[in-house]
Amino acid sequence: MKAAEPLLSVSGLEVTFRSRRETIEAVRDVSFTLAAGRCLALVGESGSGKSVTARSLLGLSGGAVRAGSLALAGTELSDLDERGWRKVRGRRIALVAQDALTALDPLRTVGAEVGETVRVHGLVPRARLADRVHTALRDAGIPDPGSRITQYPHQLSGGLRQRALLAAALGAEPELLVADEPTTALDVTVQHRVLDLLRRRKAAGTAILLISHDLAVVAGIADEIAVLREGRLVEHGPADRVLRTPAHPCTRALLAAVPRLPARPAPATAPPAAPVVLSVDHVALRFGSRLAVDDVSFRLHEAEVVGLVGESGSGKTTLARIAQGLADPDRGQVTLAGHPWSLVPERERRPLRSRIQAVHQDPAGSFDPRHPVGAILDEAIRASARRENRRERATELLELVGLPATLLRRRPSTLSGGQRQRVAIARALATRPDVLVCDEPVSALDVSIQAQVLELLAKLRRELGLAMLFISHDLGVVGEISDRVLVMKDGRVVESGPAAELFTEPRHEYTRELLAAVPQLPAPSTG
Amino acid sequence: SPTGEEATPVSGGTLTVALATQPGCMDSQVSQQGVTNTINRNVLDSLVSQDGSGGYHPWLAASWDISPDLTRYTFHLRHDVTFTDGTAFDAEAVKTNFARIVAPATRSQFAAGLLGPYAGTDVVDRYTVAVRFTKPFAPFLAAAATPNLGFYSPKALAERGGELCGGGPAAVGTGPFTFTSFGKGQGAVLTRNPAYRWAPATAAHPGPAYLDEIDFRFLPEESVRVGTLTSGQVDVALAVPPSNIATLRDTPSVRILQRDVPGSGYNLYLNTAIAPLDDQRVRNAVQRATDLDADVRTVFFGQYNRAWSPLSPSTVGYDKAAEHSWPFDPGMADHLLDSAGWTGRDGAGYRTRNGVRLTIDWPALPADYTTNGNATLAQAVQADLKQVGIELTRTPYDIGTYLRKIHAGQLAAADAGWSATDPDLLRLFFNSADDPAHGGQNVTRFDDPELDAWTSAAAATLDPARRSDLYRKVQARVLELGLVVPLYTPSTVVGTGSRVQGIGFDAAAQPAFFDAWVAG
Amino acid sequence: MNAVARAAKAVAGGIGVVWGAATLAFFALHLVPGDTADILMGTQALTSPQVHRRITAELGLDEPLWSQYLRFLGHLMHGDLGRSYQLRQPVWTLLGQNAWPTVSLGLAALVLALVVGTASAIATAGRRPAWRAAASAWELTAVSTPSFWLGILLLTVFSFRLHWFPVAGRNGITALVLPAGTLGLPLAGTIAQVVRESLETTLHQPFMTTARARGLGGMALRLRHALRHGASSLLTLTGLLFGSIVGGAVLVENVFGRPGLGSLTVSAVTNKDMPVVTGLVLVSATAFVLVSGVVALLQPRVDPRLRQRVSA
Amino acid sequence: MIRRYVLAAALLLPATLIVAVPDLLYHRSPTAVDLADALRPPSGAHWFGTDQLGRDVLARVLHGAAPSWSLGLGATVFALAGGILLGLLAALAGRVADHLLLRATDLLLSLPPLLLALLAVTVLGTGRTNVMLAVAIAFIPVYARMVRSEVLAVRRSGYVEAAVGLGVPRVVLALRHVVPNTLGPLSVLGTIGFGSAILYGSGLSFLGLGARPPAPEWGAMLSEGRSFLASAWWVGVFPGLAITVSVLAVTVLGRQFRVHLTGRENR
Ligand SMILES: Nc1ncnc2c1ncn2[C@@H]1O[C@H](COP(=O)(O)OP(=O)(O)OP(=O)(O)O)[C@@H](O)[C@H]1O
Ligand SMILES: Nc1ncnc2c1ncn2[C@@H]1O[C@H](COP(=O)(O)OP(=O)(O)OP(=O)(O)O)[C@@H](O)[C@H]1O
Ligand SMILES: [Mg+2]
Ligand SMILES: [Mg+2]
């Protein structure tokens, strides 16, 4: 470890949110330092205060901040007024916000958003701005950046948006990069490239505060790891040490829950003769000149889990929407439990809706901002066929996804990313569906919760015969839960087969690439 | 120096005049609007000129003879008059104009009525012209003095007759000014006619007008009109609102000129065909219960006089004896109503008879067709009548409904104020031949042989004494019968800036600009 | 759909609206009570029933309604609006004389309203409650003050007392300031309220945090990000703005003694002056169609999400 | 949240009382003419002065509250309801219906509002209720458009998609998610519309289609009072203030309502 002068030093940071009903102490007495060219990873369970800590480094926590000291290379940040902060933000400290899907202004082009930091701080002459944006997008791993510059956020897939955010943050070459889950929506190959980029930046002297629940990612880049729990730092030390010999039980629990790629074929769990619940035949959908889904077919049997992996922007979400009957394919058709499901009037779909439910890739956007969690769940419970005590059921659903019943009265905007995602899962389960379409259902969850949720899904499938289309870029997760896996690239399914087989003996070039890019955790030394 | 009338007039300058209403059609032979006349009086000349006391003087006609039966008026025209387009003014011009007025295609709204029982015009020689009527028609000279029977150049009529409603250069007259431009809402600009040499005897000076130009602007909003006057943005403001008159009189930079308008004054006519007004006692009670002295003084800030007769005092034939003949007497009103059987009282304090409330509806005209003052006065009358237990309601109608109802004789009461210089007006209001169903104005719908006889006889004589006598009887009788409640005598109130001199009034109390001049 | 087809469809739709408006006006006017000839004669006419009948016949008012309508459509298709019943002038002349004053007044008022309204909204959106309350107070006062009051007030202060601006007349641009203010300020109030609401919603969006994290602050944040979102709701308001301008012009023209379509409208409608009303409706509908066309073009520029068809 | 509503209600209570029982605190007749006391400035005897017929301006303002509020509120509520219904239909019904409704609102918007209101009064007849409806009809297309475009925006949102995914029926979807989320922006217009409706109504009475004198009504009092702006300001200024204060009150309520709808705290 170099004994460098710390670039950032935080001591005694406290953040509280006060509303009329309750006071939430999101961050309590957090202290750490970070030197230039080093990376500190903040890990911890969902809702432990990671994002709030990150935001308070830019003076954007939204709550009441008290800090003994918050210094950046000698500048005392906690004394800054709004003007002072403005000079720091973007230029000296850049932020990649957690929710990539809503962090870009929907009315401005990607180019304008990415170039903004550079322009605001007048870092390059106007004439060279376009070049700079182009370079930044390419560095962030966006293929064909030229064509993306003039597009708008809603035209990008989740992964592309996340990379655009990263490009925007790195464009101004800040001294400190605060990256809040910068790779959640990325497939492993792109993730690999992004981590490379971060490593290069680090080598060039940028300090990085990385927040991630993906410990493998953390292992690949962090010099130090700090573990947060209920707003407190419970463990802090060199990455290697923390990963190999975790001191705090909380850290140990996190590590234990990390899913790993199967080493040998597991027996198929779905009975092969089970009836088909969802059948997708030769569907295709085009956006303008881009063929988002191109002649895709698959069948989903009762109690079967089909994993869907693939490059970001390859059409996974679009396919999920088609399967869910929210978008009609240009060609091909979908059948749900023997009923025609695509290209039929909504009236005919409605009675069947409760049988197929989804966890959206963008849970924040899928909640009516006016409704508290209770109302959100209630609506779904009412849509289920059964009569039951709705309040009890709501509490039960929250319990199922590991959330306290106190959340029922909170509005989605005050929840942490993981809390939101779990609410989304709870809602999808409320109608007791036969088919669940999960679009990155666990990407925002810390590993222990993730394990818990995966266990829950597995149980539902075992006990109720729930079938699932499971989209994730996390091959470990997919491998753990799926019977069969489809690999998508550029709108087509390039390979499919039983999970174990596919991961051990990939045939397609791209699948091999994917597998090679999976980050690995160092082996724990406890064993 | 602003010392007033002694100063010698100077030529030149522009007079800016703020008018209160936007004229619709600018063709005097078509339109019935006063504002059209205010402007056109400066452009169009008439055969004769009337003075303030009812006398007639030569103008375009140097002299005239009237047949004893009053059916043929022969005018001997001046020989030296030309229109501003160079056309000579002659008997043909008179004939062409009168023929145009009565032509159906012209759709004259007013002038055709002024020609009364018109039969035709004969060109006797180039400068002698005779106008014939099918019946004796005494009011013709008064009509002939109005701008509505003024003359447009026959050449202009032939070429651009269709454009006259739009005003502007198409309107070619013989008057002291030419019509330079007109735009609806924009105003009108008149320019001096340097060749003018035929001013009437009623004018203060011969020869052309003093002003180079008159610039009329339309400012309907009362306070804006007053504001432009006091701030010197206009030289003259017409229709100064009564609430401002007193203040303006005390303003050194402003002078107020006031003249009572001749004609019918502003009256309330009661429909004798509709209960409860079919009972003369109720009608008389309405007259007696109205405290007009106080009402008019308050509503018009002491600037207008209450009326006693359906003719205004400055009209020929006004009967002074009508004054104080029906004073405010609520006791008498109560007595009349009691005797008419309206003895009950309901919860709101109104009288009833057989359980029916004593209600009279005086429909309210849309604001465009009335004034704030008149609307307020009606509320004062409403309060007066309530004191004796009469409920006066004011149903608001749009103009279409109002007219339909008035033509069908369905309105219990209707207010009107007409300006005219001839008392023949009384015939229109009270002769049974003039009932509204036949296009007349007799909204009282009272059929009285005596009134019919007197008004018809007065229209057939020019003998002033006989006419006065007949009209005196008419006035007394309509008041006695309670056909009308005369309300007040409107006056023309003109505010001028201190540099303005010589503004006068014509016989109809319209401001006249021929003699006006501006100092400095 | 290609551009030509889309344009053709838009034009056809526009023509449809204009035709519909003219038809509506035609039948509406026939429903307005009262007899056209009576109203033309006014309250003080000396008409005889014969004159009345002649006028009725001459205007073709004695024909059955459908034949009047067909004749009306026929003339309309030839661009022949006829002559005003009341003013006797060709309707085109009247429109020609009065259109520009109203258009210039409307445009000036609109520009003023947009500038003042958005400025007030931007300056106070998401700021301290006291500021917001102060801005809101003036806006709502402006909105709830009748234009004749506002006009008289402005005139009293700026024209009669201070002599800065003339009431009216041929003095060019200076004569436009006060009328435009009178018409524009209530509009500005409305705009400010709507834009502020939209700005405040936007300021709470997650992407605003990102933008702030880039070092954007105060004004830049509002101008560059929030305003676009406000502009989108402003565009939706065009219908209202259009109506307020057309409606407000009546009173403003009256107070300031200005020429224009406003005063023409009142007299034409109340006098059942069919040809003029038709002409006005045509002008108004055409203007509206043009304005909505421009809005329809602008809307997707402002909000790119509108550029694609909405599926499901 | 609840507490704020209680507060707002507490504030509105006096206003409601005034509307319901105008002479609760101030016992003067709004129509009693006293010519000897005309145009008196505000004093102990007449708190808001007297008008040109010596009537008490305060009494007239108080008694004018009921008709003015019913015009303002009634027209706004009607217009909002009509606008929401049309806008929802346009946005949620099929393409053809949308097209037709859009054209219909275009049509109404393209007519001079005066003509529209006049037509409405003509067809419905005069009278207070009909004037209210006429004003409402003139406002409906504006609200309908606003609703439609808001609905289109809301309909694209993730939460509507989520509700569709739950099989929530269209009507419920509209009522539970779409309408409440469009009401926010609409409530701004609504509160403004309250004031404009009163003024609009006074414009109609100008054409002989409005309130009957001597019944006090703010819009009518306002236009009566303008002749005295220089000499007796109180005649017109107080009813004007009454309108403004009402609009402000309604706006405060509207804002509170919006906060409730959007779940956003009022900072
Ligand atoms: N604006 C807010 N108002 C109230 N509570 C908040 C607000 N923002 C965050 N919180 C609460 O603060 C706590 C910490 O939130 P934070 O977003 O930092 O969690 P996190 O560690 O980033 O979790 P995740 O991994 O799920 O994103 C959570 O309990 C959250 O509900
Ligand atoms: N509404 C749209 N308009 C235009 N293009 C779109 C639209 N929605 C998606 N696309 C494009 O379709 C392609 C597939 O997008 P999709 O969201 O299905 O990707 P994905 O596989 O879910 O990616 P990720 O893993 O990054 O979420 C992308 O190139 C995207 O830019
Ligand atoms: Mg977080
Ligand atoms: Mg996706």
Side-chain angles (χ1 to χ4, degrees), chain C residues 245-307:
Chain C
I245 287 180
V246 174
V250 178
L251 293 169
V252 173
E253 285 168 7
N254 195 55
V255 169
F256 289 89
R258 280 178 62 87
L261 297 177
S263 36
L264 196 62
T265 309
V266 182
S267 69
V269 169
T270 47
N271 288 307
K272 285 190 84 167
D273 197 341
M274 190 71 214
V276 178
V277 172
T278 313
L280 285 165
V281 165
L282 284 186
V283 168
S284 160
T286 311
F288 179 78
V289 165
L290 286 180
V291 169
S292 339
V294 172
V295 168
L297 285 180
L298 283 180
Q299 200 114 44
R301 308 231 104 238
V302 173
D303 189 345
R305 287 168 298 184
L306 293 171
R307 287 180 210 167

Side-chain angles (χ1 to χ4, degrees), chain C residues 53-274:
Chain C
R53 244 177 295 159
R54 273 202 311 250
I55 292 180
T56 308
E58 186 155 334
L59 300 180
L61 299 172
D62 49 352
E63 293 172 38
L65 198 56
W66 60 267
S67 88
Q68 287 188 45
Y69 178 63
L70 287 184
R71 195 156 42 86
F72 161 83
L73 278 191
H75 288 314
L76 214 58
M77 266 181 312
H78 291 98
D80 174 12
L81 294 178
R83 276 170 179 270
S84 155
Y85 293 165
Q86 188 201 10
L87 306 172
R88 310 287 171 86
Q89 285 165 279
V91 172
W92 279 121
T93 314
L94 286 172
L95 295 180
Q97 278 174 1
N98 291 288
W100 176 241
T102 300
V103 169
S104 57
L105 172 65
L107 282 181
L110 187 66
V111 170
L112 182 100
L114 284 174
V115 171
V116 174
T118 23
S120 175
I122 288 178
T124 55
R127 302 269 161 129
R128 248 169 281 150
W131 289 33
R132 230 173 27 189
S136 227
W138 91 254
E139 290 155 14
L140 292 170
T141 310
V143 167
S144 56
T145 304
S147 28
F148 54 81
W149 270 95
L150 192 58
I152 292 171
L153 209 72
L154 290 180
L155 275 177
T156 307
V157 176
F158 295 106
S159 185
F160 305 153
R161 293 266 151 79
L162 299 174
H163 299 274
W164 288 358
F165 302 102
V167 171
R170 293 155 271 272
N171 318 51
I173 200 86
T174 50
L176 196 59
V177 175
L178 295 182
T182 308
L183 187 55
L185 283 180
L187 272 186
T190 310
I191 290 179
Q193 292 270 309
V194 172
V195 172
R196 179 178 305 104
E197 165 68 15
S198 162
L199 288 185
E200 291 189 341
T201 309
T202 311
L203 287 173
H204 282 81
Q205 302 287 323
F207 57 79
M208 278 298 166
T209 313
T210 327
R212 290 178 68 197
R214 293 188 197 126
L216 236 63
M219 269 307 141
L221 199 65
R222 284 145 208 275
L223 290 178
R224 223 165 264 142
H225 288 265
L227 194 55
R228 255 168 194 270
H229 293 258
S232 158
S233 47
L234 246 188
L235 280 178
T236 326
L237 264 185
T238 39
L240 174 76
L241 298 182
F242 186 79
S244 310
I245 287 180
V246 174
V250 178
L251 293 169
V252 173
E253 285 168 7
N254 195 55
V255 169
F256 289 89
R258 280 178 62 87
L261 297 177
S263 36
L264 196 62
T265 309
V266 182
S267 69
V269 169
T270 47
N271 288 307
K272 285 190 84 167
D273 197 341
M274 190 71 214

Side-chain angles (χ1 to χ4, degrees), chain A residues 19-20 321 324-326 346-347 350 353-354 356-357 360 362 365-371 376 379-380 382-383 411 413 427 431, chain D residues 1 3-4 157-170 172 175-178 180-181 259-265:
Chain A
S19 76
R20 228 162 280 122
R321 283 171 47 87
Q324 215 205 332
L326 291 174
E346 185 60 28
R347 203 173 341 102
R350 206 168 291 131
R353 284 267 184 217
S354 66
I356 180 165
Q357 283 297 302
H360 296 260
D362 167 27
S366 76
F367 300 135
D368 190 330
R370 299 173 308 112
H371 288 179
I376 291 168
E379 175 167 54
R382 273 200 261 181
R411 285 180 202 273
S413 61
R427 173 173 66 180
T431 66
Chain D
M1 191 72 50
R3 241 189 304 148
R4 294 240 183 147
S157 65
Y159 53 88
V160 167
E161 186 159 279
V164 170
L166 282 169
V168 174
R170 215 193 282 243
V172 178
L175 292 182
R176 197 180 298 152
H177 297 286
V178 180
N181 279 299
V259 168
H260 183 101
L261 277 180
T262 54
R264 200 165 75 208
E265 299 278 317

Side-chain angles (χ1 to χ4, degrees), chain A residues 148 151 154-160 163 185-187 287-288 290-293 310-319 361 439-440 471, chain C residues 308:
Chain A
R148 298 295 185 183
Q151 283 193 311
H154 74 279
Q155 294 170 314
L156 304 189
S157 73
L160 285 170
R163 276 173 280 169
L186 302 182
D187 65 87
F287 292 109
R290 185 169 270 119
L291 202 51
V293 174
E311 199 181 17
S312 161
S314 59
K316 302 184 296 292
T317 298
T318 310
L319 182 62
Q361 185 169 14
D439 197 351
E440 305 279 6
I471 302 174
Chain C
Q308 57 167 46

Side-chain angles (χ1 to χ4, degrees), chain A residues 200-459:
Chain A
R200 264 183 280 127
R201 268 297 146 84
K202 195 169 75 142
T206 308
I208 298 177
L209 181 74
L210 176 73
I211 296 173
S212 178
H213 63 272
D214 189 333
L215 294 176
V217 167
V218 169
I221 184 167
D223 302 304
E224 292 164 55
I225 294 180
V227 183
L228 270 176
R229 185 164 186 278
E230 288 175 357
R232 284 184 207 284
L233 271 187
V234 293
E235 183 162 3
H236 184 180
D240 221 39
R241 208 263 303 143
V242 173
L243 290 174
R244 281 178 197 284
T245 54
H248 197 271
C250 172
T251 322
R252 258 176 294 193
L254 280 178
L255 281 165
V258 175
R260 281 155 221 268
L261 275 181
R264 60 194 155 73
T269 39
V276 173
V277 282
L278 183 75
S279 147
V280 173
D281 298 301
H282 304 288
V283 294
L285 181 59
R286 171 185 291 283
F287 292 109
S289 63
R290 185 169 270 119
L291 202 51
V293 174
D294 186 6
D295 193 29
V296 172
S297 306
F298 68 92
R299 283 183 161 54
L300 192 57
H301 299 263
E302 201 172 277
E304 185 188 27
V305 177
V306 171
L308 184 58
V309 299
E311 199 181 17
S312 161
S314 59
K316 302 184 296 292
T317 298
T318 310
L319 182 62
R321 283 171 47 87
I322 293 174
Q324 215 205 332
L326 291 174
D328 277 328
D330 293 333
R331 276 186 290 114
Q333 65 183 51
V334 184
T335 318
L336 178 70
H339 302 274
W341 185 243
S342 58
L343 293 164
V344 297
E346 185 60 28
R347 203 173 341 102
E348 288 174 32
R349 273 190 211 146
R350 206 168 291 131
L352 293 173
R353 284 267 184 217
S354 66
R355 299 177 61 178
I356 180 165
Q357 283 297 302
V359 179
H360 296 260
Q361 185 169 14
D362 167 27
S366 76
F367 300 135
D368 190 330
R370 299 173 308 112
H371 288 179
V373 172
I376 291 168
L377 292 178
D378 191 59
E379 175 167 54
I381 294 166
R382 273 200 261 181
S384 75
R386 272 197 240 176
R387 312 239 119 256
E388 55 200 331
N389 183 327
R390 301 207 302 262
R391 223 194 134 71
E392 244 170 51
R393 173 77 173 144
T395 320
E396 182 189 316
L397 283 168
L398 282 187
E399 233 166 70
L400 217 53
V401 293
L403 290 176
T406 49
L407 249 53
L408 282 176
R409 296 177 63 183
R410 293 263 289 271
R411 285 180 202 273
S413 61
T414 67
L415 300 180
S416 81
Q419 287 166 334
R420 274 198 285 253
Q421 194 141 28
R422 279 181 279 168
V423 172
I425 295 172
R427 173 173 66 180
L429 295 176
T431 66
R432 300 190 165 85
D434 303 333
V435 183
L436 199 60
V437 178
C438 304
D439 197 351
E440 305 279 6
V442 291
S443 61
L445 303 183
D446 64 88
V447 278
S448 54
I449 305 279
Q450 179 176 314
Q452 208 178 315
V453 168
L454 289 178
E455 177 48 39
L456 167 71
L457 293 178
K459 193 178 109 201

Side-chain angles (χ1 to χ4, degrees), chain D residues 33-59:
Chain D
V33 168
D34 181 1
L35 295 183
D37 236 3
L39 291 181
R40 295 263 181 261
S43 67
H46 302 281
W47 295 0
F48 286 3
T50 62
D51 71 2
Q52 69 261 33
L53 290 176
R55 294 174 298 199
D56 189 272
V57 175
L58 176 56

